Amino acid sequence: MKLAYNMDYKTKTEEILEQAEDTSKKKYPSGSKVINKDTLLELCYDADVNERYFYLLSADELEPKKVDSHQNMIPLSPESSIIKNKVILFPSKIEEYGDEEKLMDEIRNFIHKYLDISDEFEAVCAYYVMISTLYEKMPVVPYLRVIGDYGSGKTRFLHVIGSISRNPIFASGATTTSPMFRLISEFGGTFLMDEADFSSEMKSDMTKILNQGNMPRFPVIRAHPHRPRDVISYNVFGPKIVATRGYFDDDALESRMITEKMENKKLRDGILITIQDEFWEEGLHLRNKLLKFRMDHFFQYQHIPITEHADVDQALVKSLDPRQKQIIEPMLSLIKDADLKNVLLQRMKRHADDLKVNRGFSFDVDVLEIMLSLAFSGIEGLKKPHMQDIADRFNAYFQESTRWKLTARKIGHILRTKFLLITSRDNKGFYIAESEENLKKIADRYDIDTGLLNEKYNQGTDPHKDITVGYSNF
């Protein structure tokens, strides 16, 4: 008996292939993209005529093309809440800017008109805006941060610099961090962060964005909300403009920042208290011109290592730690003024010195100092101080300011976890087993002069006697 062949029958493989073909034909709303490193796809939205479209530019082309779609991507709809509520500000079209010097003058004039900051920081901000237009070509991106109290102008700073940066993401109204991960990953651009807008529960996630987001290929990994076995990765690399009331506790995070302290002072004459529509119009025209700058320079950008800048003070370069050298390279690669390059290096050096001073105002650093005073106390060479000896000297010296005595165990915990020091054990207990070279390196990092320590702690004066702190006993 012959079986009739069913012409309508489809194998499972055929069904999968058809579904894949259908999926490939679907069009997905998209923002701006860098495609395969050799093609720019830039979303523009013109609110005056409610029109959105892409500019498309390949590395081997001289002029961008205006297109309604590309591959399976269409421009984000004007009805999207992202555009309608101005969560992200896109350019409206390409505008000519003349030359790079003229564009830089326009950026600085805009900043000067709406912000009361120093000329030095004004120039830094202007070049940071330039960085934001080319950041995908850079191996690392610094963050621009202002520190200040209520009323010092931090929010105005975010609005002014953010409004002319590449595709600024105004996400301060978010109640969770999930949409922020998605916005940065999907649309790129410049993320604006005001510490005051985030709850204590959200700050740990914001720290993840900042820790992972200054270098490419370091995504944030999250569990899929509906498929527990699956994970989602978010690319959070890109420029970020941050406003905080103080320094971050994490020194590694601090080292990613170019920082300015904002002061509560009388505003310079001529600065408007309230931002008007004119501000947003001026910002839009600058974003349009910066889009043209991006199209002109994206494929020509050359990253120059800091050691190859013949016009900078190399002695000043050597005084910076490796992370600071790394994050400042993108800006130095764009700056042509040698004086401004050295001013920027001096700013980074001052910030590093400030961090050293701030580290010094800590009882953990007092423990480190006392350990070092014992380690370098002998004329015959390095000693290996035991935890109990460190605890005895600490408790004797700070007897007026500590509520409880520190145990040898607590001393060991501080030195191992805070300063990552190696310890070993003999018949007297645990002791510091670091080399003299390593101890001198950590002393230098915290700006501690080991030659003066014994004199300081032999005087018996407690510098914290008016401050009462508590350590729990271990």
Side-chain angles (χ1 to χ4, degrees):
M1 185 178 77
K2 294 183 178 179
L3 293 175
Y5 179 72
N6 185 356
M7 298 296 293
D8 294 328
Y9 174 76
K10 296 179 182 178
T11 66
K12 187 67 175 176
T13 301
E14 289 173 330
E15 289 180 0
I16 292 173
L17 289 173
E18 284 190 8
Q19 289 173 3
E21 185 178 354
D22 290 340
T23 301
S24 68
K25 293 178 181 178
K26 288 183 179 179
K27 300 291 185 180
Y28 297 95
S30 175
S32 302
K33 302 282 185 184
V34 179
I35 305 170
N36 298 328
K37 296 184 179 181
D38 63 357
T39 303
L40 288 180
L41 188 69
E42 298 295 332
L43 171 63
C44 289
Y45 171 65
D46 190 338
D48 291 337
V49 294
N50 199 32
E51 181 184 5
R52 88 277 196 210
Y53 50 86
F54 288 130
Y55 277 113
L56 182 68
L57 178 68
S58 297
D60 56 355
E61 296 176 334
L62 296 177
E63 294 294 331
K65 301 174 184 176
K66 191 175 177 180
V67 297
D68 294 326
S69 64
H70 179 66
Q71 296 175 353
N72 63 340
M73 292 173 283
I74 58 174
L76 200 64
S77 169
E79 299 305 311
S80 162
S81 61
I82 291 173
I83 288 182
K84 185 183 291 186
N85 297 323
K86 299 179 180 177
V87 176
I88 303 177
L89 301 181
F90 297 99
S92 62
K93 60 183 178 180
I94 285 178
E95 289 188 37
E96 296 293 335
Y97 57 87
D99 56 36
E100 189 173 333
E101 184 177 351
K102 184 179 178 181
L103 179 59
M104 178 58 65
D105 287 341
E106 283 193 56
I107 294 171
R108 291 197 63 172
N109 289 337
F110 177 83
I111 295 172
H112 189 79
K113 181 177 179 179
Y114 293 103
L115 269 183
D116 188 6
I117 55 179
S118 67
D119 290 344
E120 174 190 308
F121 192 54
E122 189 178 278
V124 170
C125 292
Y127 275 102
Y128 194 81
V129 170
M130 292 288 201
I131 282 178
S132 75
T133 66
L134 303 172
Y135 77 90
E136 298 99 329
K137 296 286 288 184
M138 299 175 181
V140 63
V141 172
Y143 301 146
L144 191 65
R145 191 266 300 274
V146 290
I147 293 178
D149 205 349
Y150 166 80
S152 60
K154 300 191 305 296
T155 302
R156 168 65 69 91
F157 173 82
L158 290 177
H159 278 126
V160 173
I161 309 303
S163 67
I164 56 176
S165 297
R166 171 167 165 74
N167 296 356
I169 301 172
F170 292 86
S172 59
T175 56
T176 68
T177 52
S178 295
M180 298 180 195
F181 289 129
R182 292 185 176 92
L183 285 171
I184 299 172
S185 186
E186 179 65 24
F187 296 100
T190 306
F191 184 68
L192 310 180
M193 170 187 167
D194 191 336
E195 182 187 43
D197 291 328
F198 302 109
S199 65
S200 56
E201 292 80 11
M202 296 170 67
K203 285 181 179 177
S204 63
D205 280 342
M206 298 311 300
T207 300
K208 289 186 180 73
I209 289 176
L210 293 174
N211 274 327
Q212 302 293 101
N214 79 313
M215 296 180 71
R217 295 179 290 278
F218 285 94
V220 172
I221 308 297
R222 306 298 292 268
H224 195 287
H226 307 299
R227 299 193 296 271
R229 292 187 178 182
D230 293 342
V231 296
I232 306 173
S233 65
Y234 296 104
N235 175 21
V236 293
F237 172 60
K240 295 168 184 66
I241 304 176
V242 185
T244 65
R245 290 194 176 184
Y247 292 106
F248 291 103
D249 293 333
D250 184 354
D251 289 346
L253 181 52
E254 271 297 327
S255 68
R256 292 168 168 83
M257 306 286 169
I258 299 174
T259 301
E260 174 81 349
K261 295 178 182 177
M262 304 288 280
E263 299 177 356
N264 288 324
K265 62 180 182 180
K266 183 179 178 180
L267 285 177
R268 187 182 70 243
D269 290 342
I271 293 185
L272 297 175
I273 300 298
T274 305
I275 287 177
Q276 308 288 339
D277 289 343
E278 177 188 11
F279 166 85
W280 297 108
E281 282 295 322
E282 291 175 9
L284 173 60
H285 286 297
L286 273 174
R287 290 199 306 278
N288 291 344
K289 293 178 180 181
L290 284 161
L291 175 58
K292 174 61 173 170
F293 176 84
R294 174 176 168 85
M295 294 286 190
D296 289 345
H297 292 85
F298 188 84
F299 297 113
Q300 285 73 42
Y301 171 81
Q302 295 291 326
H303 185 82
I304 305 171
I306 196 169
T307 53
E308 295 181 14
H309 289 267
D311 53 354
V312 302
D313 183 350
Q314 289 298 327
L316 191 55
V317 170
K318 289 179 181 178
S319 70
L320 302 177
D321 64 39
R323 173 63 61 77
Q324 289 181 307
K325 295 175 187 177
Q326 181 189 52
I327 69 161
I328 209 64
E329 277 186 351
M331 193 169 287
L332 293 179
S333 297
L334 290 175
I335 296 174
K336 295 181 172 58
D337 185 336
D339 290 338
L340 183 56
K341 288 182 181 181
N342 286 305
V343 164
L344 185 58
L345 291 172
Q346 290 163 2
R347 169 178 286 273
M348 298 302 294
K349 179 67 167 61
R350 288 198 302 271
H351 183 54
D353 292 341
D354 286 345
L355 289 179
K356 284 184 177 181
V357 171
N358 288 334
R359 290 188 195 116
F361 291 111
S362 160
F363 274 90
D364 291 342
V365 176
D366 290 327
V367 170
L368 177 65
E369 282 196 348
I370 286 178
M371 182 277 293
L372 291 171
S373 74
L374 291 169
F376 292 99
S377 62
I379 59 173
E380 68 276 9
L382 183 73
K383 292 187 175 181
K384 304 288 187 182
H386 284 77
M387 302 305 158
Q388 189 59 57
D389 296 333
I390 301 169
D392 290 344
R393 176 171 277 201
F394 181 94
N395 293 329
Y397 188 74
F398 293 107
Q399 57 185 331
E400 296 182 39
S401 55
T402 52
R403 189 176 301 155
W404 298 291
K405 302 295 184 184
L406 287 190
T407 64
R409 182 178 179 183
K410 178 65 177 180
I411 292 286
H413 176 77
I414 293 171
L415 294 175
R416 291 187 197 97
T417 59
K418 172 70 176 178
F419 305 108
L420 305 179
L421 296 179
I422 298 172
T423 60
S424 189
R425 188 173 187 173
D426 59 16
N427 57 351
K428 288 180 62 179
F430 284 97
Y431 64 90
I432 298 297
E434 290 282 0
S435 67
E436 182 175 356
E437 180 184 2
N438 286 344
L439 291 181
K440 286 183 176 179
K441 283 181 180 178
I442 196 168
D444 181 64
R445 184 185 178 202
Y446 286 85
D447 203 23
I448 298 171
D449 187 340
T450 56
L452 301 177
L453 289 178
N454 274 298
E455 180 182 352
K456 173 181 176 179
Y457 287 105
N458 285 333
Q459 290 175 351
T461 302
D462 182 352
H464 305 299
K465 64 183 178 182
D466 296 325
I467 306 171
T468 301
V469 298
Y471 282 100
S472 58
N473 281 310
F474 270 59

